[in-house]
Amino acid sequence: MENPSTNKFRPIGIFLSITIALSSIFYFLIIYSGQVGGGAGQYAMGLMWCPGISALITMKILKRNISDLGWSWGKSKYQIWSFFIPFLYSLIAYVIIWSFGLGGFYKKEVVAYLTKSFGLGEIGDGFIIALTFLFVGIFGTITGMSSALGEEIGWRGFLVPELYKNFGFTKTSLFTGAIWGIWHIPILLFADYNSGTPSWYALSCFMVLIVSISFIYTWFRMKSGSLWTAVILHGSHNLFIQSLFTPFTIDTGKTAYYIDEFGIVLPIVAIGFAIYFWKKGKVLKPEPNNGSYEKH
């Protein structure tokens, strides 16, 4: 058990220090290679696991029980919503993009490739797109969770509950979102983790998006008491944006300024979701239930 006189910010300082130290190794490798996909994608995987490894080391240093990171599954309704919410805000954003001609729907060459890949013959573009969203949406999210888990053990498993003790819902969401976003800056500015727009623009859009969805992640983590809500949210977010909606969108000239995590539309939609969960966060009530803060 920790000494009550221990500085309440010491655990956060230890965690962030170790995270920065470990991440620096992979920042160097990614930046030196010039691409997030360097090392056959293993540099990025290593980077994504740095917060999780840091959290486990921090728990060991503080002599805390690793089970306190929120490993219990919790109520399945929270896990189900964690999967669908990124799909929902991504769908809204891309429907806006397609409807106003900021980007086109859909790339014929992508559908042609998928038609050949499925091997079901000429069954229609609409059916192929639906099958892709079904199969990739489900199984791709499961695959994506393996890398998302590395980040979320750190951000939502350790950092969010630790901050919540002292700052409550709103500040925890803001602080975690800011830290989470800043952690991405080296690969955004000095590698290819962007959509080709000016760095200041991509960074601004990305930070607004990350801070906004941090309200969603924090609410689900503290409401459910489960780390897995954040893992599913993260895996689903990456999957639908990076592997489905963006690849299907046709570049109409300035499309990079509107799509993906580095365009303006998704952050605006995310702000709406942030406001909704910020209001819901006001009813969270601290209870000793493995990090769950649920009002009954």
Side-chain angles (χ1 to χ4, degrees):
M1 182 176 294
E2 293 182 64
N3 190 318
S5 64
T6 301
N7 188 312
K8 61 183 179 180
F9 298 119
R10 177 172 172 264
I12 296 172
I14 294 172
F15 166 71
L16 292 180
S17 297
I18 298 173
T19 299
I20 293 170
L22 293 179
S23 298
S24 295
I25 299 170
F26 296 98
Y27 287 150
F28 171 78
L29 292 171
I30 291 172
I31 293 170
Y32 189 80
S33 70
Q35 55 183 332
V36 175
Q42 297 311 301
Y43 295 163
M45 177 66 81
L47 180 63
M48 292 181 75
W49 268 92
C50 287
I53 294 172
S54 300
L56 296 175
I57 295 173
T58 301
M59 296 293 278
K60 184 69 173 179
I61 292 172
L62 298 174
K63 298 180 180 179
R64 293 183 181 179
N65 195 327
I66 292 177
S67 63
D68 293 339
L69 293 172
W71 296 104
S72 62
W73 180 255
K75 295 180 180 178
S76 292
K77 66 178 181 180
Y78 295 124
Q79 315 300 345
I80 294 172
W81 275 112
S82 294
F83 173 79
F84 281 107
I85 285 178
F87 170 75
L88 182 59
Y89 60 66
S90 300
L91 178 64
I92 293 171
Y94 278 82
V95 166
I96 292 172
I97 291 167
W98 299 330
S99 298
F100 286 90
L102 306 175
F105 180 77
Y106 52 94
K107 287 184 179 178
K108 295 287 187 179
E109 61 271 25
V110 172
V111 174
Y113 166 78
L114 291 169
T115 299
K116 182 178 180 180
S117 178
F118 276 109
L120 299 176
E122 296 295 331
I123 58 177
D125 290 359
F127 195 59
I128 287 295
I129 292 172
L131 277 180
T132 301
F133 270 79
L134 177 64
F135 281 96
V136 177
I138 294 175
F139 299 111
T141 298
I142 294 173
T143 302
M145 285 170 59
S146 64
S147 54
L149 176 62
E151 282 194 50
E152 294 309 329
I153 292 173
W155 304 139
R156 257 60 63 167
F158 178 83
L159 186 59
V160 162
E162 197 65 35
L163 287 170
Y164 203 104
K165 297 175 185 177
N166 302 302
F167 298 109
F169 178 77
T170 301
K171 290 182 179 179
T172 294
S173 300
L174 290 171
F175 292 159
T176 306
I179 292 169
W180 188 22
I182 291 170
W183 179 76
H184 287 84
I185 288 179
I187 60 174
L188 193 156
L189 295 181
F190 304 112
D192 62 347
Y193 189 61
N194 54 64
S195 57
T197 57
S199 297
W200 67 267
Y201 182 87
L203 178 59
S204 298
C205 292
F206 182 78
M207 288 300 296
V208 171
L209 172 64
I210 291 298
V211 172
S212 296
I213 64 175
S214 179
F215 281 81
I216 304 173
Y217 285 55
T218 299
W219 187 89
F220 272 96
R221 171 63 177 94
M222 303 316 296
K223 181 73 172 179
S224 68
S226 175
L227 163 67
W228 296 105
T229 53
V231 176
I232 296 172
L233 279 163
H234 199 149
S236 178
H237 171 95
N238 287 349
L239 186 283
F240 282 113
I241 295 170
Q242 299 171 7
S243 300
L244 291 172
F245 284 108
T246 293
F248 274 112
T249 302
I250 300 171
D251 186 354
T252 57
K254 295 289 185 178
T255 299
Y257 285 84
Y258 305 106
I259 64 170
D260 212 85
E261 299 174 310
F262 313 103
I264 192 64
V265 178
L266 192 57
I268 292 175
V269 174
I271 289 173
F273 278 76
I275 293 172
Y276 173 78
F277 280 95
W278 172 68
K279 291 180 177 179
K280 286 175 68 68
K282 293 179 179 180
V283 304
L284 292 178
K285 179 181 178 182
E287 291 187 359
N289 180 26
N290 194 29
S292 175
Y293 287 67
E294 183 170 359
K295 184 176 180 179
H296 295 282

